[in-house]
Amino acid sequence: AAVMLATAEAFAPAPITQRSLTSVSRNIVTSSNSPTVLSDMLTQTELPEKLYFPKDKEAAKFLGGVKIGNRKLTVITGASSGLGLNCAATLAKTGRHFVVMAVRDVEKGKRVAKEFGMPDGSYVVMKLELGSLQSVRDFVSNLKAFKSIRPVDNLICNAAVYKPTDPEPAWTDDGFEQSMGINHFGHFLLTNLMVDDMSKAKGARMCIVGSITGNTNTVGGGLVYPQADLGQLQGFESGAKKPIEMADGKPFFGAKAYKDSKVCNMMTVSELHRRYHESTGIAFSSMYPGCIAETSLFREKRPWFRKAFPWFMKYVTGGYVGMEEAGERLAQVVDDPQCTKSDVYWSWNGGAQQVGRWSSDGKPKGAGGSGGEIFENAQSDAVRDRATASKMWDLSAEAVGLTGKDKPKAAESA
């Protein structure tokens, strides 16, 4: 009990400050060979009020089919840093995947791909600002121009923001609170726009990164205040746009906004499976990579927390996983032959539904941390609530303007 309480304290949101900062999920690549990892990780960034302008639209690239060859075509959002970059590098280095790095900052994406040793000719970097629905549409258009008739084999929706200490909400270009707008609405539109194209690929897979914080049947999601709770989706019913701050229609709470967005991500996977798996053959899944305790998601925490938390998760709870291993886990979901099943929430080493138990090798096991084999984890009853998930889907489609011409043409299951 004492360990669980300590874990809960570690995850609890820090006191609110008066500055508005945005932390980009998994924004820093960690490497044991880099002495500047911690200082880089603690660098704080701010998103501008306007995220995407007409001048930001990227010129379409062509003749991608020649570059792709016979490799799997894999798209990864948030691929210029952290989990996304480690996953992109893992897949590119196998020689089996041509990776589309869908990122906010194209020049940064090109730079870090080279720094991380991604082979020339194994990737392309393309502009995607998930805080703008127009940018999502522009990205899909440019992607189709680049690949021509070649379908996308895999789509990994990884990018996210986490704003636990912001006293007031920040907004996307379309008027959504940024945590929900970027983490959920941007990816919701992207996945819908890609269903028909991916249905043409054999063995296509679509994965949206989940989180234990959105599952109340885990230590991090069930014992740590605030819990994810969409309520009756009152905020979505009211349009989900400014001045609406939360999915349940209540006042803004940064830590909860992130957790709610992760619930929507995992519900989206279940709804994609229910509606389109049978007619398209696409395997829709979610996953939890383990607690990447050194991720920039925690950059707004107190300095002592940022130093102590990785140690605590590694040696006390057993939930710690390094960035490289986390990237390999995410890559496994779209590369491993055993991961072809749809409507699965993939986890490793116990899936964080308990704190770690010490084993004979001197390492705590069972808390979702380093090591262990992949398995099909169970999601919370709230995440699996079909009525709420269906309502979330319909209201999300309305919010992002998913019209008849945009909706997947694939037959939708009852």
Side-chain angles (χ1 to χ4, degrees):
V3 174
M4 288 189 178
L5 179 58
T7 304
E9 290 292 335
F11 274 100
I16 291 176
T17 63
Q18 291 305 307
R19 52 184 181 160
S20 180
L21 299 171
T22 298
S23 297
V24 181
S25 173
R26 307 173 179 93
N27 193 43
I28 301 298
V29 178
T30 61
S31 169
S32 58
N33 297 324
S34 173
T36 61
V37 166
L38 184 58
S39 60
D40 287 346
M41 185 194 335
L42 302 183
T43 301
Q44 296 186 344
T45 60
E46 297 185 24
L47 291 180
E49 290 187 7
K50 179 73 173 176
L51 302 176
Y52 188 73
F53 295 89
K55 66 179 179 61
D56 295 328
K57 183 176 181 180
E58 189 178 28
K61 300 177 176 66
F62 298 96
L63 301 178
V66 176
K67 296 180 180 179
I68 299 166
N70 294 324
R71 291 171 291 185
K72 296 285 187 181
L73 178 55
T74 300
V75 177
I76 308 173
T77 71
S80 64
S81 53
L83 178 62
L85 177 53
N86 278 267
C87 174
T90 297
L91 291 173
K93 291 175 182 179
T94 66
R96 296 188 294 272
H97 295 259
F98 182 90
V99 177
V100 176
M101 301 172 66
V103 302
R104 171 180 291 129
D105 186 336
V106 172
E107 292 308 311
K108 176 188 174 183
K110 293 177 180 178
R111 183 180 72 252
V112 296
K114 291 184 177 298
E115 291 174 354
F116 219 60
M118 293 177 64
D120 290 340
S122 67
Y123 65 92
V124 66
V125 184
M126 298 181 67
K127 174 78 174 182
L128 172 61
E129 171 52 71
L130 286 161
S132 164
L133 298 180
Q134 184 57 55
S135 177
V136 174
R137 294 179 183 277
D138 288 345
F139 168 77
V140 172
S141 176
N142 286 344
L143 175 63
K144 290 181 178 180
F146 172 74
K147 69 181 186 58
S148 187
I149 61 173
R150 173 74 159 77
V152 169
D153 295 283
N154 305 299
L155 171 61
I156 298 175
C157 297
N158 159 74
V161 295
Y162 176 49
K163 310 175 62 159
T165 65
D166 280 15
E168 301 292 337
W171 309 95
T172 69
D173 289 358
D174 303 282
F176 303 120
E177 183 277 317
Q178 281 189 3
S179 299
M180 187 62 73
I182 292 172
N183 302 358
H184 169 58
F185 286 122
H187 280 133
F188 180 86
L189 178 60
L190 176 61
T191 55
N192 273 274
L193 295 180
M194 292 305 301
V195 166
D196 285 337
D197 180 84
M198 293 182 66
S199 69
K200 301 171 186 176
K202 181 179 180 180
R205 306 184 203 182
M206 187 183 294
C207 177
I208 305 179
V209 175
S211 171
I212 61 168
T213 63
N215 274 302
T216 55
N217 62 340
T218 64
V219 174
L223 296 181
V224 182
Y225 175 80
Q227 290 187 359
D229 183 6
L230 300 180
Q232 300 301 313
L233 289 166
Q234 297 94 322
F236 279 25
E237 288 179 329
S238 298
K241 295 183 179 181
K242 190 175 183 179
I244 304 302
E245 299 176 350
M246 299 287 289
D248 59 6
K250 295 181 179 179
F252 179 71
F253 191 166
K256 183 176 180 296
Y258 172 81
K259 294 182 178 184
D260 288 350
S261 73
K262 288 287 121 180
V263 173
C264 289
N265 283 162
M266 292 181 282
M267 283 183 168
T268 297
V269 168
S270 296
E271 284 296 293
L272 282 166
H273 167 81
R274 184 176 69 83
R275 294 165 185 261
Y276 299 117
H277 172 67
E278 186 176 345
S279 62
T280 67
I282 300 171
F284 301 100
S285 68
S286 185
M287 60 87 72
Y288 169 59
C291 181
I292 312 170
E294 290 155 339
T295 175
S296 58
L297 279 176
F298 300 122
R299 73 170 70 200
E300 294 182 51
K301 292 290 188 178
R302 306 173 186 89
W304 69 263
F305 173 89
R306 296 192 294 258
K307 293 179 180 179
F309 188 51
W311 179 91
F312 181 80
M313 295 304 294
K314 184 181 294 185
Y315 297 110
V316 179
T317 71
Y320 175 89
V321 62
M323 191 73 77
E324 183 177 357
E325 183 177 0
E328 292 171 351
R329 286 178 169 183
L330 181 53
Q332 182 179 2
V333 173
V334 299
D335 186 60
D336 194 325
Q338 70 177 308
C339 297
T340 58
K341 187 175 179 180
S342 190
D343 197 24
V344 174
Y345 174 54
W346 298 109
S347 296
W348 291 255
N349 195 8
Q353 295 196 2
Q354 63 183 36
V355 294
R357 297 178 179 177
W358 288 88
S359 60
S360 57
D361 63 2
K363 298 179 181 179
K365 301 291 186 181
S370 182
E373 298 297 323
I374 192 171
F375 73 100
E376 298 177 26
N377 203 351
Q379 293 177 318
S380 68
D381 291 341
V383 171
R384 303 297 295 183
D385 183 337
R386 177 172 171 178
T388 302
S390 181
K391 181 178 181 181
M392 179 282 301
W393 177 281
D394 292 339
L395 292 173
S396 295
E398 182 177 349
V400 302
L402 196 65
T403 63
K405 68 174 184 177
D406 293 326
K407 290 182 179 179
K409 304 301 186 293
E412 187 171 329
S413 300

